[in-house]
PDB file of all heavy atoms in Angstrom:
ATOM      1  N   PRO A   1      29.115 -37.890  13.957  1.00 85.00           N
ATOM      2  CA  PRO A   1      29.210 -36.903  15.039  1.00 85.00           C
ATOM      3  C   PRO A   1      28.270 -35.737  14.734  1.00 85.00           C
ATOM      4  O   PRO A   1      27.975 -35.439  13.596  1.00 85.00           O
ATOM      5  CB  PRO A   1      30.668 -36.466  15.018  1.00 85.00           C
ATOM      6  CG  PRO A   1      31.110 -36.708  13.602  1.00 85.00           C
ATOM      7  CD  PRO A   1      30.370 -37.932  13.153  1.00 85.00           C
ATOM      8  N   LYS A   2      27.793 -35.086  15.792  1.00 86.00           N
ATOM      9  CA  LYS A   2      26.908 -33.915  15.579  1.00 86.00           C
ATOM     10  C   LYS A   2      27.618 -32.847  14.760  1.00 86.00           C
ATOM     11  O   LYS A   2      27.024 -32.209  13.911  1.00 86.00           O
ATOM     12  CB  LYS A   2      26.448 -33.366  16.919  1.00 86.00           C
ATOM     13  CG  LYS A   2      25.421 -34.259  17.622  1.00 86.00           C
ATOM     14  CD  LYS A   2      24.937 -33.594  18.914  1.00 86.00           C
ATOM     15  CE  LYS A   2      23.882 -34.433  19.600  1.00 86.00           C
ATOM     16  NZ  LYS A   2      23.413 -33.850  20.857  1.00 86.00           N
ATOM     17  N   THR A   3      28.891 -32.627  15.081  1.00 85.00           N
ATOM     18  CA  THR A   3      29.691 -31.682  14.317  1.00 85.00           C
ATOM     19  C   THR A   3      30.995 -32.337  13.915  1.00 85.00           C
ATOM     20  O   THR A   3      31.563 -33.163  14.681  1.00 85.00           O
ATOM     21  CB  THR A   3      30.007 -30.405  15.119  1.00 85.00           C
ATOM     22  OG1 THR A   3      30.691 -30.774  16.318  1.00 85.00           O
ATOM     23  CG2 THR A   3      28.728 -29.669  15.460  1.00 85.00           C
ATOM     24  N   ALA A   4      31.490 -32.007  12.740  1.00 86.00           N
ATOM     25  CA  ALA A   4      32.703 -32.633  12.242  1.00 86.00           C
ATOM     26  C   ALA A   4      33.939 -32.141  12.905  1.00 86.00           C
ATOM     27  O   ALA A   4      34.958 -32.834  12.907  1.00 86.00           O
ATOM     28  CB  ALA A   4      32.786 -32.407  10.728  1.00 86.00           C
ATOM     29  N   ALA A   5      33.923 -30.966  13.499  1.00 88.00           N
ATOM     30  CA  ALA A   5      35.105 -30.347  14.104  1.00 88.00           C
ATOM     31  C   ALA A   5      36.270 -30.360  13.115  1.00 88.00           C
ATOM     32  O   ALA A   5      37.400 -30.687  13.452  1.00 88.00           O
ATOM     33  CB  ALA A   5      35.481 -31.098  15.349  1.00 88.00           C
ATOM     34  N   ALA A   6      35.955 -29.995  11.852  1.00 94.00           N
ATOM     35  CA  ALA A   6      36.960 -29.969  10.803  1.00 94.00           C
ATOM     36  C   ALA A   6      36.629 -28.865   9.830  1.00 94.00           C
ATOM     37  O   ALA A   6      35.479 -28.483   9.680  1.00 94.00           O
ATOM     38  CB  ALA A   6      36.982 -31.318  10.083  1.00 94.00           C
ATOM     39  N   ARG A   7      37.671 -28.337   9.171  1.00 96.00           N
ATOM     40  CA  ARG A   7      37.444 -27.300   8.141  1.00 96.00           C
ATOM     41  C   ARG A   7      36.956 -27.936   6.853  1.00 96.00           C
ATOM     42  O   ARG A   7      36.188 -27.340   6.123  1.00 96.00           O
ATOM     43  CB  ARG A   7      38.725 -26.531   7.908  1.00 96.00           C
ATOM     44  CG  ARG A   7      39.174 -25.665   9.098  1.00 96.00           C
ATOM     45  CD  ARG A   7      40.528 -25.020   8.780  1.00 96.00           C
ATOM     46  NE  ARG A   7      40.472 -24.159   7.609  1.00 96.00           N
ATOM     47  CZ  ARG A   7      41.519 -23.567   7.071  1.00 96.00           C
ATOM     48  NH1 ARG A   7      42.727 -23.735   7.645  1.00 96.00           N
ATOM     49  NH2 ARG A   7      41.418 -22.776   6.013  1.00 96.00           N
ATOM     50  N   ILE A   8      37.438 -29.153   6.585  1.00 98.00           N
ATOM     51  CA  ILE A   8      37.097 -29.860   5.354  1.00 98.00           C
ATOM     52  C   ILE A   8      36.672 -31.292   5.671  1.00 98.00           C
ATOM     53  O   ILE A   8      37.308 -31.958   6.506  1.00 98.00           O
ATOM     54  CB  ILE A   8      38.297 -29.886   4.379  1.00 98.00           C
ATOM     55  CG1 ILE A   8      38.654 -28.467   3.932  1.00 98.00           C
ATOM     56  CG2 ILE A   8      38.031 -30.759   3.162  1.00 98.00           C
ATOM     57  CD1 ILE A   8      39.904 -28.395   3.097  1.00 98.00           C
ATOM     58  N   ILE A   9      35.604 -31.728   5.046  1.00 98.00           N
ATOM     59  CA  ILE A   9      35.204 -33.127   5.140  1.00 98.00           C
ATOM     60  C   ILE A   9      35.438 -33.760   3.782  1.00 98.00           C
ATOM     61  O   ILE A   9      34.910 -33.300   2.761  1.00 98.00           O
ATOM     62  CB  ILE A   9      33.717 -33.279   5.537  1.00 98.00           C
ATOM     63  CG1 ILE A   9      33.451 -32.588   6.869  1.00 98.00           C
ATOM     64  CG2 ILE A   9      33.344 -34.760   5.637  1.00 98.00           C
ATOM     65  CD1 ILE A   9      31.989 -32.556   7.273  1.00 98.00           C
ATOM     66  N   SER A  10      36.245 -34.787   3.770  1.00 98.00           N
ATOM     67  CA  SER A  10      36.601 -35.507   2.551  1.00 98.00           C
ATOM     68  C   SER A  10      35.840 -36.830   2.550  1.00 98.00           C
ATOM     69  O   SER A  10      35.876 -37.572   3.512  1.00 98.00           O
ATOM     70  CB  SER A  10      38.134 -35.753   2.529  1.00 98.00           C
ATOM     71  OG  SER A  10      38.466 -36.744   1.613  1.00 98.00           O
ATOM     72  N   CYS A  11      35.171 -37.130   1.425  1.00 98.00           N
ATOM     73  CA  CYS A  11      34.362 -38.343   1.340  1.00 98.00           C
ATOM     74  C   CYS A  11      34.766 -39.210   0.163  1.00 98.00           C
ATOM     75  O   CYS A  11      34.979 -38.700  -0.952  1.00 98.00           O
ATOM     76  CB  CYS A  11      32.898 -37.991   1.198  1.00 98.00           C
ATOM     77  SG  CYS A  11      32.138 -37.319   2.694  1.00 98.00           S
ATOM     78  N   ASP A  12      34.890 -40.483   0.413  1.00 98.00           N
ATOM     79  CA  ASP A  12      34.970 -41.440  -0.646  1.00 98.00           C
ATOM     80  C   ASP A  12      33.674 -41.409  -1.422  1.00 98.00           C
ATOM     81  O   ASP A  12      32.643 -40.906  -0.942  1.00 98.00           O
ATOM     82  CB  ASP A  12      35.196 -42.837  -0.049  1.00 98.00           C
ATOM     83  CG  ASP A  12      35.201 -43.964  -1.065  1.00 98.00           C
ATOM     84  OD1 ASP A  12      35.834 -43.789  -2.126  1.00 98.00           O
ATOM     85  OD2 ASP A  12      34.596 -44.996  -0.796  1.00 98.00           O
ATOM     86  N   VAL A  13      33.668 -41.920  -2.659  1.00 98.00           N
ATOM     87  CA  VAL A  13      32.464 -41.874  -3.475  1.00 98.00           C
ATOM     88  C   VAL A  13      31.696 -43.188  -3.449  1.00 98.00           C
ATOM     89  O   VAL A  13      30.589 -43.265  -2.919  1.00 98.00           O
ATOM     90  CB  VAL A  13      32.813 -41.478  -4.920  1.00 98.00           C
ATOM     91  CG1 VAL A  13      31.548 -41.507  -5.804  1.00 98.00           C
ATOM     92  CG2 VAL A  13      33.433 -40.082  -4.967  1.00 98.00           C
ATOM     93  N   PHE A  14      32.296 -44.242  -4.006  1.00 95.00           N
ATOM     94  CA  PHE A  14      31.556 -45.503  -4.141  1.00 95.00           C
ATOM     95  C   PHE A  14      31.488 -46.262  -2.816  1.00 95.00           C
ATOM     96  O   PHE A  14      32.460 -46.468  -2.132  1.00 95.00           O
ATOM     97  CB  PHE A  14      32.239 -46.363  -5.218  1.00 95.00           C
ATOM     98  CG  PHE A  14      32.220 -45.719  -6.563  1.00 95.00           C
ATOM     99  CD1 PHE A  14      33.395 -45.190  -7.098  1.00 95.00           C
ATOM    100  CD2 PHE A  14      31.046 -45.573  -7.281  1.00 95.00           C
ATOM    101  CE1 PHE A  14      33.399 -44.570  -8.341  1.00 95.00           C
ATOM    102  CE2 PHE A  14      31.048 -44.956  -8.526  1.00 95.00           C
ATOM    103  CZ  PHE A  14      32.215 -44.438  -9.037  1.00 95.00           C
ATOM    104  N   ASP A  15      30.244 -46.641  -2.457  1.00 91.00           N
ATOM    105  CA  ASP A  15      29.910 -47.293  -1.198  1.00 91.00           C
ATOM    106  C   ASP A  15      30.068 -46.340  -0.003  1.00 91.00           C
ATOM    107  O   ASP A  15      30.149 -46.771   1.142  1.00 91.00           O
ATOM    108  CB  ASP A  15      30.673 -48.565  -0.981  1.00 91.00           C
ATOM    109  CG  ASP A  15      30.081 -49.749  -1.708  1.00 91.00           C
ATOM    110  OD1 ASP A  15      28.882 -49.707  -2.011  1.00 91.00           O
ATOM    111  OD2 ASP A  15      30.819 -50.683  -2.047  1.00 91.00           O
ATOM    112  N   THR A  16      30.099 -45.034  -0.289  1.00 94.00           N
ATOM    113  CA  THR A  16      30.098 -44.016   0.775  1.00 94.00           C
ATOM    114  C   THR A  16      29.081 -42.948   0.431  1.00 94.00           C
ATOM    115  O   THR A  16      28.008 -42.905   0.988  1.00 94.00           O
ATOM    116  CB  THR A  16      31.507 -43.434   0.988  1.00 94.00           C
ATOM    117  OG1 THR A  16      32.419 -44.473   1.334  1.00 94.00           O
ATOM    118  CG2 THR A  16      31.482 -42.371   2.110  1.00 94.00           C
ATOM    119  N   LEU A  17      29.393 -42.056  -0.502  1.00 96.00           N
ATOM    120  CA  LEU A  17      28.397 -41.079  -0.967  1.00 96.00           C
ATOM    121  C   LEU A  17      27.364 -41.750  -1.841  1.00 96.00           C
ATOM    122  O   LEU A  17      26.178 -41.428  -1.759  1.00 96.00           O
ATOM    123  CB  LEU A  17      29.119 -39.975  -1.766  1.00 96.00           C
ATOM    124  CG  LEU A  17      29.926 -38.947  -1.002  1.00 96.00           C
ATOM    125  CD1 LEU A  17      30.675 -38.034  -1.955  1.00 96.00           C
ATOM    126  CD2 LEU A  17      29.043 -38.121  -0.070  1.00 96.00           C
ATOM    127  N   LEU A  18      27.811 -42.659  -2.678  1.00 95.00           N
ATOM    128  CA  LEU A  18      26.927 -43.422  -3.574  1.00 95.00           C
ATOM    129  C   LEU A  18      27.079 -44.901  -3.268  1.00 95.00           C
ATOM    130  O   LEU A  18      28.200 -45.402  -3.321  1.00 95.00           O
ATOM    131  CB  LEU A  18      27.254 -43.111  -5.034  1.00 95.00           C
ATOM    132  CG  LEU A  18      27.096 -41.670  -5.507  1.00 95.00           C
ATOM    133  CD1 LEU A  18      27.550 -41.561  -6.971  1.00 95.00           C
ATOM    134  CD2 LEU A  18      25.645 -41.197  -5.379  1.00 95.00           C
ATOM    135  N   TYR A  19      25.987 -45.535  -2.955  1.00 92.00           N
ATOM    136  CA  TYR A  19      26.023 -46.954  -2.673  1.00 92.00           C
ATOM    137  C   TYR A  19      25.912 -47.800  -3.951  1.00 92.00           C
ATOM    138  O   TYR A  19      25.076 -47.528  -4.819  1.00 92.00           O
ATOM    139  CB  TYR A  19      24.826 -47.354  -1.802  1.00 92.00           C
ATOM    140  CG  TYR A  19      24.942 -46.991  -0.356  1.00 92.00           C
ATOM    141  CD1 TYR A  19      23.852 -46.495   0.339  1.00 92.00           C
ATOM    142  CD2 TYR A  19      26.133 -47.186   0.332  1.00 92.00           C
ATOM    143  CE1 TYR A  19      23.940 -46.191   1.678  1.00 92.00           C
ATOM    144  CE2 TYR A  19      26.233 -46.870   1.677  1.00 92.00           C
ATOM    145  CZ  TYR A  19      25.137 -46.380   2.344  1.00 92.00           C
ATOM    146  OH  TYR A  19      25.213 -46.072   3.665  1.00 92.00           O
ATOM    147  N   ARG A  20      26.733 -48.812  -4.044  1.00 90.00           N
ATOM    148  CA  ARG A  20      26.515 -49.842  -5.053  1.00 90.00           C
ATOM    149  C   ARG A  20      25.540 -50.864  -4.474  1.00 90.00           C
ATOM    150  O   ARG A  20      25.480 -51.038  -3.257  1.00 90.00           O
ATOM    151  CB  ARG A  20      27.828 -50.535  -5.432  1.00 90.00           C
ATOM    152  CG  ARG A  20      28.835 -49.617  -6.124  1.00 90.00           C
ATOM    153  CD  ARG A  20      29.900 -50.460  -6.810  1.00 90.00           C
ATOM    154  NE  ARG A  20      30.949 -49.649  -7.414  1.00 90.00           N
ATOM    155  CZ  ARG A  20      30.865 -49.047  -8.579  1.00 90.00           C
ATOM    156  NH1 ARG A  20      29.748 -49.125  -9.276  1.00 90.00           N
ATOM    157  NH2 ARG A  20      31.883 -48.360  -9.056  1.00 90.00           N
ATOM    158  N   ASP A  21      24.809 -51.530  -5.357  1.00 86.00           N
ATOM    159  CA  ASP A  21      23.888 -52.568  -4.849  1.00 86.00           C
ATOM    160  C   ASP A  21      24.619 -53.879  -4.652  1.00 86.00           C
ATOM    161  O   ASP A  21      25.849 -53.928  -4.563  1.00 86.00           O
ATOM    162  CB  ASP A  21      22.666 -52.702  -5.780  1.00 86.00           C
ATOM    163  CG  ASP A  21      23.063 -53.121  -7.183  1.00 86.00           C
ATOM    164  OD1 ASP A  21      24.189 -53.644  -7.400  1.00 86.00           O
ATOM    165  OD2 ASP A  21      22.227 -52.961  -8.098  1.00 86.00           O
ATOM    166  N   HIS A  22      23.872 -54.974  -4.610  1.00 82.00           N
ATOM    167  CA  HIS A  22      24.441 -56.286  -4.309  1.00 82.00           C
ATOM    168  C   HIS A  22      25.259 -56.884  -5.442  1.00 82.00           C
ATOM    169  O   HIS A  22      25.971 -57.880  -5.276  1.00 82.00           O
ATOM    170  CB  HIS A  22      23.339 -57.288  -3.944  1.00 82.00           C
ATOM    171  CG  HIS A  22      22.455 -57.608  -5.106  1.00 82.00           C
ATOM    172  ND1 HIS A  22      21.460 -56.766  -5.528  1.00 82.00           N
ATOM    173  CD2 HIS A  22      22.464 -58.643  -5.976  1.00 82.00           C
ATOM    174  CE1 HIS A  22      20.843 -57.319  -6.580  1.00 82.00           C
ATOM    175  NE2 HIS A  22      21.439 -58.427  -6.876  1.00 82.00           N
ATOM    176  N   ARG A  23      25.177 -56.279  -6.646  1.00 85.00           N
ATOM    177  CA  ARG A  23      25.863 -56.865  -7.791  1.00 85.00           C
ATOM    178  C   ARG A  23      27.391 -56.789  -7.606  1.00 85.00           C
ATOM    179  O   ARG A  23      27.909 -55.788  -7.167  1.00 85.00           O
ATOM    180  CB  ARG A  23      25.456 -56.171  -9.084  1.00 85.00           C
ATOM    181  CG  ARG A  23      24.005 -56.358  -9.483  1.00 85.00           C
ATOM    182  CD  ARG A  23      23.660 -55.540 -10.722  1.00 85.00           C
ATOM    183  NE  ARG A  23      22.292 -55.699 -11.124  1.00 85.00           N
ATOM    184  CZ  ARG A  23      21.293 -54.928 -10.660  1.00 85.00           C
ATOM    185  NH1 ARG A  23      21.535 -54.011  -9.766  1.00 85.00           N
ATOM    186  NH2 ARG A  23      20.056 -55.121 -11.103  1.00 85.00           N
ATOM    187  N   SER A  24      28.053 -57.835  -8.067  1.00 86.00           N
ATOM    188  CA  SER A  24      29.523 -57.843  -8.050  1.00 86.00           C
ATOM    189  C   SER A  24      30.055 -57.031  -9.223  1.00 86.00           C
ATOM    190  O   SER A  24      29.330 -56.659 -10.139  1.00 86.00           O
ATOM    191  CB  SER A  24      30.015 -59.286  -8.178  1.00 86.00           C
ATOM    192  OG  SER A  24      29.637 -59.834  -9.428  1.00 86.00           O
ATOM    193  N   GLU A  25      31.369 -56.795  -9.173  1.00 89.00           N
ATOM    194  CA  GLU A  25      31.991 -56.078 -10.299  1.00 89.00           C
ATOM    195  C   GLU A  25      31.810 -56.867 -11.595  1.00 89.00           C
ATOM    196  O   GLU A  25      31.540 -56.268 -12.650  1.00 89.00           O
ATOM    197  CB  GLU A  25      33.485 -55.862 -10.008  1.00 89.00           C
ATOM    198  CG  GLU A  25      34.214 -55.094 -11.106  1.00 89.00           C
ATOM    199  CD  GLU A  25      35.680 -54.912 -10.826  1.00 89.00           C
ATOM    200  OE1 GLU A  25      36.390 -55.929 -10.762  1.00 89.00           O
ATOM    201  OE2 GLU A  25      36.109 -53.757 -10.647  1.00 89.00           O
ATOM    202  N   ARG A  26      31.992 -58.175 -11.548  1.00 89.00           N
ATOM    203  CA  ARG A  26      31.853 -58.972 -12.739  1.00 89.00           C
ATOM    204  C   ARG A  26      30.442 -58.897 -13.327  1.00 89.00           C
ATOM    205  O   ARG A  26      30.236 -58.839 -14.532  1.00 89.00           O
ATOM    206  CB  ARG A  26      32.236 -60.439 -12.477  1.00 89.00           C
ATOM    207  CG  ARG A  26      33.750 -60.678 -12.446  1.00 89.00           C
ATOM    208  CD  ARG A  26      34.079 -62.121 -12.163  1.00 89.00           C
ATOM    209  NE  ARG A  26      35.496 -62.370 -12.271  1.00 89.00           N
ATOM    210  CZ  ARG A  26      36.129 -62.766 -13.363  1.00 89.00           C
ATOM    211  NH1 ARG A  26      35.418 -62.992 -14.478  1.00 89.00           N
ATOM    212  NH2 ARG A  26      37.421 -62.939 -13.393  1.00 89.00           N
ATOM    213  N   GLN A  27      29.439 -58.917 -12.444  1.00 89.00           N
ATOM    214  CA  GLN A  27      28.063 -58.809 -12.922  1.00 89.00           C
ATOM    215  C   GLN A  27      27.814 -57.451 -13.529  1.00 89.00           C
ATOM    216  O   GLN A  27      27.098 -57.321 -14.529  1.00 89.00           O
ATOM    217  CB  GLN A  27      27.066 -59.078 -11.793  1.00 89.00           C
ATOM    218  CG  GLN A  27      25.602 -59.071 -12.263  1.00 89.00           C
ATOM    219  CD  GLN A  27      25.320 -60.067 -13.346  1.00 89.00           C
ATOM    220  OE1 GLN A  27      25.676 -61.244 -13.218  1.00 89.00           O
ATOM    221  NE2 GLN A  27      24.690 -59.661 -14.445  1.00 89.00           N
ATOM    222  N   ARG A  28      28.400 -56.405 -12.923  1.00 93.00           N
ATOM    223  CA  ARG A  28      28.251 -55.074 -13.477  1.00 93.00           C
ATOM    224  C   ARG A  28      28.890 -55.000 -14.874  1.00 93.00           C
ATOM    225  O   ARG A  28      28.314 -54.443 -15.800  1.00 93.00           O
ATOM    226  CB  ARG A  28      28.891 -54.023 -12.554  1.00 93.00           C
ATOM    227  CG  ARG A  28      28.638 -52.597 -12.969  1.00 93.00           C
ATOM    228  CD  ARG A  28      29.015 -51.616 -11.904  1.00 93.00           C
ATOM    229  NE  ARG A  28      30.458 -51.518 -11.709  1.00 93.00           N
ATOM    230  CZ  ARG A  28      31.083 -52.028 -10.647  1.00 93.00           C
ATOM    231  NH1 ARG A  28      30.435 -52.683  -9.701  1.00 93.00           N
ATOM    232  NH2 ARG A  28      32.413 -51.886 -10.532  1.00 93.00           N
ATOM    233  N   PHE A  29      30.066 -55.608 -15.035  1.00 94.00           N
ATOM    234  CA  PHE A  29      30.702 -55.627 -16.342  1.00 94.00           C
ATOM    235  C   PHE A  29      29.873 -56.372 -17.361  1.00 94.00           C
ATOM    236  O   PHE A  29      29.805 -56.039 -18.534  1.00 94.00           O
ATOM    237  CB  PHE A  29      32.090 -56.277 -16.227  1.00 94.00           C
ATOM    238  CG  PHE A  29      33.107 -55.452 -15.528  1.00 94.00           C
ATOM    239  CD1 PHE A  29      34.377 -55.987 -15.222  1.00 94.00           C
ATOM    240  CD2 PHE A  29      32.846 -54.138 -15.141  1.00 94.00           C
ATOM    241  CE1 PHE A  29      35.322 -55.222 -14.567  1.00 94.00           C
ATOM    242  CE2 PHE A  29      33.808 -53.377 -14.492  1.00 94.00           C
ATOM    243  CZ  PHE A  29      35.036 -53.926 -14.186  1.00 94.00           C
ATOM    244  N   ASN A  30      29.224 -57.449 -16.886  1.00 92.00           N
ATOM    245  CA  ASN A  30      28.336 -58.212 -17.775  1.00 92.00           C
ATOM    246  C   ASN A  30      27.138 -57.375 -18.235  1.00 92.00           C
ATOM    247  O   ASN A  30      26.778 -57.345 -19.416  1.00 92.00           O
ATOM    248  CB  ASN A  30      27.832 -59.494 -17.065  1.00 92.00           C
ATOM    249  CG  ASN A  30      26.879 -60.292 -17.931  1.00 92.00           C
ATOM    250  OD1 ASN A  30      27.297 -60.976 -18.857  1.00 92.00           O
ATOM    251  ND2 ASN A  30      25.607 -60.216 -17.597  1.00 92.00           N
ATOM    252  N   ASP A  31      26.541 -56.641 -17.308  1.00 94.00           N
ATOM    253  CA  ASP A  31      25.419 -55.775 -17.620  1.00 94.00           C
ATOM    254  C   ASP A  31      25.841 -54.686 -18.625  1.00 94.00           C
ATOM    255  O   ASP A  31      25.099 -54.330 -19.533  1.00 94.00           O
ATOM    256  CB  ASP A  31      24.840 -55.131 -16.354  1.00 94.00           C
ATOM    257  CG  ASP A  31      24.230 -56.162 -15.408  1.00 94.00           C
ATOM    258  OD1 ASP A  31      23.950 -57.268 -15.847  1.00 94.00           O
ATOM    259  OD2 ASP A  31      24.062 -55.842 -14.226  1.00 94.00           O
ATOM    260  N   ILE A  32      27.011 -54.145 -18.402  1.00 96.00           N
ATOM    261  CA  ILE A  32      27.553 -53.113 -19.295  1.00 96.00           C
ATOM    262  C   ILE A  32      27.747 -53.708 -20.682  1.00 96.00           C
ATOM    263  O   ILE A  32      27.394 -53.063 -21.718  1.00 96.00           O
ATOM    264  CB  ILE A  32      28.863 -52.547 -18.765  1.00 96.00           C
ATOM    265  CG1 ILE A  32      28.614 -51.734 -17.483  1.00 96.00           C
ATOM    266  CG2 ILE A  32      29.554 -51.659 -19.810  1.00 96.00           C
ATOM    267  CD1 ILE A  32      29.874 -51.458 -16.694  1.00 96.00           C
TER     268      ILE A  32
END
């Protein structure tokens, strides 16, 4: 929306503010 019409905007982090790529959780654990 052009304006949020809200006092506070709450955002999720993963796959919202910060995108994960195509890797699955298991592949990420493997890379770690």
Side-chain angles (χ1 to χ4, degrees):
K2 288 183 178 179
T3 59
R7 292 175 60 186
I8 295 176
I9 303 174
S10 163
C11 289
D12 176 43
V13 176
F14 299 106
D15 279 335
T16 300
L17 287 173
L18 298 176
Y19 283 139
R20 294 196 185 280
D21 61 17
H22 67 280
R23 294 176 181 87
S24 65
E25 181 181 65
R26 282 181 174 266
Q27 183 57 50
R28 187 169 69 254
F29 289 173
N30 179 75
D31 295 342
I32 293 166

